[in-house]
Amino acid sequence: MDTKTQNRLDAKARIIKAMAHPTRLFIVETLAKHEHCVCELTAMIGADVSTVSKHLSILRGAGIIDDEKRGSLVYYQLKMPCVLGFFSCVDTVIKANAQGQLKCIR
Amino acid sequence: MDTKTQNRLDAKARIIKAMAHPTRLFIVETLAKHEHCVCELTAMIGADVSTVSKHLSILRGAGIIDDEKRGSLVYYQLKMPCVLGFFSCVDTVIKANAQGQLKCIR
DNA sequence: CTCCTATTTGGCAATATCGCCAAATCGCCA
DNA sequence: TGGCGATTTGGCGATATTGCCAAATAGGAG
């Protein structure tokens, strides 16, 4: 594997890793409906504000979401809706795994 | 966030996490072309066989790839080609990030 | 049966991630 | 200007991931 491929895959993995966490998936799915401020997301998630803020920072760093300060609140919105298409593929994988399990039991 | 949502997102995150590594992305992209045995993948990747075997095990555990023993070799193949669609979205994100960078410089 | 090759598994040290607390910013508004 | 609420950042212990080596396993060939 040459260096160029290595770098390309590193970049790709960094983006994917940004989504590889339940809380961050929740954030992406929630922002897919419409924008939310940090305080709203924090209330929905039920973790410390600093924790939520760091998750948002990771998603923003990956370029998946965007922030916009309005007054004293910071609103986040989904910048790359194409990731939702991926999520449906993941659901397909989960369903296929479950059906594979069933087949083994019978 | 209720328990049901939590479990659903945990399962989703586990699948995504399985792909959140450069080497595993390489494996998925390589198997997308055609199947390969562990020894071939190991040669291409240039890491220890045990390392490659563990990466393959993670992808298999996630239900993304499938294995098939033929003689003394184990051949792996891509089971869920829909993940490739996700990769193109990731490339879009990377491209958008790069263009955002450029805009800031000018 | 025994050797040999391909692959997997166990274990360990290095590194990265996670979530909370405390502290620092930052912009409003009195 | 001073205080306040919203958000971010620093730091720390706990936990998870990673990659290598060594050892175990599995199967075919002699």
Side-chain angles (χ1 to χ4, degrees):
Chain A
M1 191 163 26
D2 56 79
T3 311
K4 191 179 168 187
T5 305
Q6 187 67 260
N7 290 339
R8 185 179 61 81
L9 293 177
D10 280 354
K12 223 162 173 170
R14 227 174 303 124
I15 307 286
I16 297 176
K17 208 178 293 186
M19 286 181 286
H21 189 285
T23 299
R24 297 199 287 270
L25 286 178
F26 178 83
I27 291 172
V28 171
E29 287 189 355
T30 303
L31 294 183
K33 302 191 194 82
H34 57 83
E35 64 171 22
H36 283 286
C37 66
V38 180
C39 49
E40 289 169 337
L41 291 170
T42 301
M44 288 188 254
I45 292 167
D48 194 272
V49 199
S50 69
T51 301
V52 175
S53 176
K54 275 178 186 170
H55 282 306
L56 288 167
S57 158
I58 289 169
L59 286 170
R60 174 161 34 82
I64 297 166
I65 63 176
D66 242 353
D67 64 330
E68 187 185 330
K69 189 167 274 180
R70 286 210 294 279
S72 60
L73 305 184
V74 177
Y75 283 87
Y76 280 90
Q77 55 192 281
L78 188 59
K79 186 181 175 187
M80 290 292 160
C82 64
V83 300
L84 299 174
F86 177 50
F87 291 173
S88 73
C89 164
V90 174
D91 286 332
T92 305
V93 175
I94 293 174
K95 208 170 292 177
N97 289 347
Q99 291 183 347
Q101 297 274 353
L102 278 180
K103 206 183 277 182
C104 290
I105 293 172
R106 281 180 210 164
Chain B
M1 191 163 27
D2 56 79
T3 311
K4 192 179 168 188
T5 304
Q6 186 66 260
N7 290 339
R8 185 178 61 81
L9 294 176
D10 279 353
K12 224 162 171 168
R14 228 174 302 124
I15 307 286
I16 296 177
K17 207 178 294 185
M19 285 180 286
H21 190 285
T23 299
R24 295 199 287 269
L25 286 178
F26 178 83
I27 291 172
V28 171
E29 286 188 355
T30 302
L31 294 184
K33 303 193 193 83
H34 57 83
E35 62 169 23
H36 283 285
C37 66
V38 179
C39 48
E40 289 169 336
L41 291 169
T42 300
M44 290 188 252
I45 291 167
D48 194 273
V49 200
S50 69
T51 301
V52 175
S53 176
K54 275 179 185 169
H55 282 306
L56 288 167
S57 157
I58 289 169
L59 287 170
R60 175 161 34 82
I64 297 165
I65 63 176
D66 242 351
D67 63 330
E68 188 183 330
K69 189 167 275 181
R70 287 211 293 278
S72 61
L73 305 183
V74 177
Y75 283 88
Y76 280 88
Q77 55 193 282
L78 188 58
K79 185 182 175 186
M80 290 291 160
C82 65
V83 301
L84 299 174
F86 177 50
F87 291 172
S88 74
C89 165
V90 174
D91 286 332
T92 305
V93 174
I94 292 173
K95 207 170 292 177
N97 289 347
Q99 291 183 347
Q101 299 274 354
L102 278 181
K103 206 182 276 183
C104 291
I105 293 170
R106 279 182 212 165

